[in-house]
Amino acid sequence: MEMLGPRVWASVKQGLSRGLSRNVKGWASGDGRKVDIAGIYPPVTTPFTATAEVDYGKLEENLYKMGTIPFRGFVVQGSTGEFPFLTSRERLEVVSRVRQVIPKDKLLLAGSGCESTQATVEMTVSMAQVGADAAMVVTPCYFRGRMNSAALIHHYTKVADLSPIPVVLYSVPANTGLDLPVDAVVKLSQHPNIVGMKDSGGDVTRIGLIVHKTSKQDFQVLAGSAGFLMASYALGAVGGVCALANVLGAQVCQLERLCLTGQWEAAQKLQHRLIEPNAAVTRRFGIPGLKKTMDWFGYYGGPCRAPLQELSPAEEEALRLDFSSNGWL
């Protein structure tokens, strides 16, 4: 990706010089509170054609079909979007297309994380320019042996300082081999432009501890998977970014409503039925499993981009069983 031009840097610096009271999509609201990210978000998949080109038409079709589900918004270019396999131009074009299609009242969280701090700042600024409401920034991990709290605090602080939109921390140890340390999260929660965190690790005691230790800050935690959504709500999380919501979006939103209204017995029954399907489309069969399931549920899943491969017949049968045995197929 090219270096930011002088005009872009000038606009970033101008925005920063105006202080942190910019309403609408950036920084804090007029009363000093940060933007509210509470709710359920599907991490949108990136559809590809048979020749591995991004299929923007199918992307728009999927978003229209999800339009009746009461999502708070959409996450674009998260892990589920296969962002490491896309060029910088494709990443920005996907965000731009999604912004054009979804209603203005739906939040668009865009994954802008890159390995270097400079590249992350540039990508974040560019994603803001094409319509992202907030940036979800994954932990840099290639040099994970040196990604201690000090390095990560420095990285996220610099990104948040220069980002014209709010920043959401993103910890996904299954993909990065790195958990964003709790002490780093606590420190970063004090930044006026860091509004929350998506934690995909599945350790609910950690989620509860983060909620507890950031309770004096205006900081919100999103569960990173539907499998531990109820437990996360019980411990103070405010929503979830759930791959399963790409196929069972209404059901995940129903679980949200049951938790928020204190209907814990009904919530428990629904949560139990989501555990196996959720595991199937995440850690067990991953994005190929999710895309196959989307094809079954009336969306376009299609192929993944190489080196990800389609499921074997045996894997596909196991995937189908995880959904059918819980009453979803």
Side-chain angles (χ1 to χ4, degrees), residues 117-327:
T117 303
Q118 178 177 319
T120 303
V121 169
E122 293 179 5
M123 182 61 80
T124 302
V125 171
S126 296
M127 285 188 166
Q129 291 176 328
V130 295
D133 294 310
M136 196 176 76
V137 181
V138 71
T139 50
C141 62
Y142 188 81
F143 297 107
R144 69 177 56 83
R146 297 297 297 168
M147 290 299 105
N148 55 21
S149 290
L152 292 166
I153 289 169
H154 181 271
H155 172 74
Y156 280 109
T157 300
K158 184 68 69 175
V159 172
D161 283 348
L162 294 173
S163 173
I165 53 178
V167 170
V168 177
L169 311 176
Y170 179 23
S171 183
V172 55
N175 290 347
T176 63
L178 182 69
D179 246 331
L180 185 54
V182 173
D183 67 300
V185 176
V186 173
K187 174 69 175 176
L188 291 166
S189 72
Q190 300 169 33
H191 194 289
N193 201 31
I194 295 177
V195 298
M197 175 182 189
K198 176 195 174 189
D199 194 313
S200 298
D203 181 347
V204 292
T205 60
R206 171 185 151 90
I207 288 175
L209 187 61
I210 289 171
V211 170
H212 175 57
K213 286 189 170 290
T214 61
S215 60
K216 294 181 180 179
Q217 306 301 326
D218 191 4
F219 186 81
Q220 297 178 306
V221 178
L222 299 173
S225 191
F228 50 91
L229 186 60
M230 175 185 166
S232 297
Y233 270 115
L235 287 167
V238 301
V241 180
C242 308
L244 189 62
N246 281 287
V247 289
L248 295 177
Q251 291 82 356
V252 175
C253 288
Q254 182 186 359
L255 180 56
E256 173 198 28
R257 286 193 299 275
L258 292 171
C259 292
L260 292 177
T261 54
Q263 300 179 66
W264 294 108
E265 191 173 340
Q268 184 188 79
K269 290 179 180 177
L270 179 54
Q271 177 68 88
H272 285 164
R273 294 175 61 210
L274 296 177
I275 291 173
E276 285 181 312
N278 178 77
V281 300
T282 54
R283 66 174 182 269
R284 192 171 180 202
F285 301 117
I287 301 166
L290 175 60
K291 285 188 166 182
K292 176 58 68 175
T293 311
M294 290 176 71
D295 289 331
W296 296 340
F297 280 82
Y299 299 99
Y300 177 81
C304 295
R305 190 171 262 183
L308 284 177
Q309 298 293 297
E310 292 190 23
L311 301 184
S312 69
E315 288 175 324
E316 187 175 330
E317 185 56 37
L319 173 66
R320 185 179 291 275
L321 182 62
D322 281 334
F323 277 82
S324 63
S325 66
N326 288 283

Side-chain angles (χ1 to χ4, degrees), residues 7-30:
R7 288 184 182 178
V8 177
W9 278 118
S11 68
V12 174
K13 290 174 181 174
Q14 185 179 3
L16 290 171
S17 69
R18 287 197 295 267
L20 307 184
S21 60
R22 202 163 67 89
N23 201 350
V24 196
K25 297 186 169 97
W27 300 94
S29 62

